[in-house]
Every structure is written in C-alpha cells, then in structure tokens.
Amino acid sequence: MRTESATATSPPARGLSQRGRLLLAVGVVAASLGVLRSVWLNSELSVRLAPEYRIDAASIRITPPPAWVAEGFLTDALLRAGLVAPNGVGQLSILDAAGVVEQNLAQATSASPYVRSVTAVSREAPRGANVEVEYRTPAALAITSLGAEPLDAEGVRLPRGRLTTADLASLPRFRLQRLEGAGLPAPPLVGAAWNDPRVRGGCALLARLAPYWKAMRLEDLTTDRAPEQRGGLAYPTFTLRTIGDTAVVWGAAEGFGPPNEPSFAEKLSRFRQFVAATGPLDSLDGTPRRVHVRYQLRVEARVAKLESTEDADEPIKQAASPSDVR
C-alpha cells in the first residue's frame, strides 16, 4: 500500500517541479530586464549626449541671413534658451524623442528679434538639424526725441545688428515727435512690437512704399496726432513729404483704414500721375505744394512747411537701452 501511494503521488510532484522551473526562468528573465533597464536609465544621459549624437550650434544649418543680421545670432538664441552651454556644447541629441529637437529649436530661434517666423525644422544625420526661417526686414527708421530706432513692417523694434549709419540713413524716416504729447507709448524692447495703431499703420505703409521711395524722391512720413473718427472707430491718417518739401496727403494705410479707403495701388497711381506731370520732386521750385492722392488727385499751394521738417538733419542716434540684444 505504501508503494502504491508513493507511485500515485509521484506524477503531480514531477508536474509541480516543471512549473517551478518555468516560473524561475520567467523570474530570471524579468530580473535581467529590470537590471538592463536600470543600467540604461543610469547611462541614458551620457549616451544621449555623447559627442557622436550631440547637436551643437555648429551642426545646425539655418536659412542664410541677410547682410544686416548680426553674425552668431543663432548661437546667441540657443544660449538664451539653454540649448547650448557657454562653451558651445549642445544640450540636444539626435537620439531625443520625436518632436523634442524640433520644438526646442523652433522656440529658441523664433525668439530671436531677427526672425519673423520659423517655417520648418528637421533633423539631419548624423547629428545635425536644419532650421528654415523668415527674417525680419528693416522697413522704417522711427524718429522720436529719444533717438532713432529701426522697425519692420509690423512695427517690431529691431536690433541694429550690422546696420551701418549709411544703412540707417537710407531707411524711410517715420517722424513720431509730434505724437509724443498725444499718447504715443515709449519705444518697446528690442524684438517687441510698438503697440500703437499709428506706428503699425505707418510701418505697413512704408514697407509698401519701399520699392518707390528713392524714385519718388520721398523724405519722410508723419501721422496726424488725432486719428480720423468714423462711426466710433479711429483710423490713423498719414502724410508723406518729398525732398522738395511737397506734402503728399495719403490718408489711411491699406488694412488700417475705413471700408471705403482706396487701395494702395490707386493712391500710388495718382501720385505717379502727379510726378509724371511735374517732374522729380527733389527741389523747391517756388511755393511748396500739397498733393492729395487719397480719393482723387488734387494739388494746392502751400505756404507753411510741414512740421516734419523740424530737425530734419539731426544725426541718427539710438535710444540707449540695456535690453538691446545682438
């Protein structure tokens, strides 16, 4: 009987032993994976930022900048964002998760005052990246009692970068002195927009006029202290002055005027019509004139000079600000 009992219980004992061995094997594998994961987590940072995977400033290609942009502006932007160390060592890796490199580079680059927008970012083997951007373009030189500041078409204050005195002098002048007692905000920090519709409208107009500025012998732009009021809404209006001191009453800038405002092309056509009939407007040939091009071409004599002629030849200086960046 004892022998039969031992024989009967022997198969279950052997089956339990097999399950135990299987569980033991699974446990060993799990423990091994845990150890490997721990080792990887401990070494991930050093592997990710190994020289062969690290994205340094020198390994990033960017859309070639125009001549006025300061050399090394991208490195400065990466430094401010903490994406490179002061010694130039990069903090991003080609091994970073999808989107990490792209998002960080886009945010850092778009924060530069030289950059209007980032259009694309992509990684490039073995450890590089490509950044495509649209740069800002100086459109106007805003002149106040504090000095002169380059602005783009959206009224953003630009850094001087590599703009020379001659470059600044060649920009269309936007005289804002007459607005300083009429609620004009102080110049913004570099890279920020001048939050005033008179400034933004004037910059948009000057950007459109840039291709014709020299040919039309234009000198500067002013805006009325008080915007034109229609239906409870305010619309800034502008007057151009030629080198010969002829005033060109332009009206509102396209996109900043009332619904019935004539287009930029219509006003430009009327102005060209006047120039074709009178010749270049670069010298005084008697009493200065006032030319209206807003709704129709109308010319009238004018005895007094525009207020914008005051301080017309003052040196172009920058309002000093510790916030300026390269």
Side-chain angles (χ1 to χ4, degrees), residues 195-314:
N195 192 23
D196 186 288
R198 295 167 295 184
V199 176
R200 291 188 289 108
C203 288
L205 174 57
L206 289 173
R208 296 286 300 276
L209 285 168
Y212 317 100
W213 193 262
K214 291 183 179 179
M216 294 294 185
R217 306 295 201 276
L218 296 173
E219 174 68 18
D220 54 31
L221 178 74
T222 59
T223 180
D224 293 333
R225 289 185 178 88
E228 181 181 280
Q229 301 289 328
R230 291 197 191 182
L233 298 176
Y235 301 102
T237 53
F238 301 92
T239 299
L240 293 159
R241 183 171 65 97
T242 71
I243 293 175
D245 205 36
T246 292
V248 181
V249 181
W250 187 271
E254 190 166 343
F256 292 83
N260 66 335
E261 185 73 20
S263 69
F264 173 87
E266 291 176 280
K267 297 177 186 179
L268 181 63
S269 177
R270 283 190 277 270
F271 188 22
R272 282 176 156 174
Q273 179 184 343
F274 170 72
V275 173
T278 60
L281 305 178
D282 56 0
S283 63
L284 292 174
D285 55 355
T287 303
R289 294 157 295 188
R290 185 180 295 273
V291 181
H292 297 260
V293 299
R294 188 177 189 183
Y295 296 111
Q296 60 182 358
L297 180 60
R298 181 166 59 88
V299 183
E300 62 186 39
R302 180 171 59 89
V303 177
K305 291 185 177 182
L306 287 177
E307 293 181 41
S308 62
T309 59
E310 299 175 1
D311 302 323
D313 298 320
E314 85 287 350

Side-chain angles (χ1 to χ4, degrees), residues 140-163:
L141 189 68
I143 300 174
T144 69
S145 61
L146 297 175
E149 302 295 344
L151 307 177
D152 77 347
E154 297 171 323
V156 172
R157 181 183 170 190
L158 303 176
R160 296 245 164 161
R162 290 189 284 186
L163 290 170

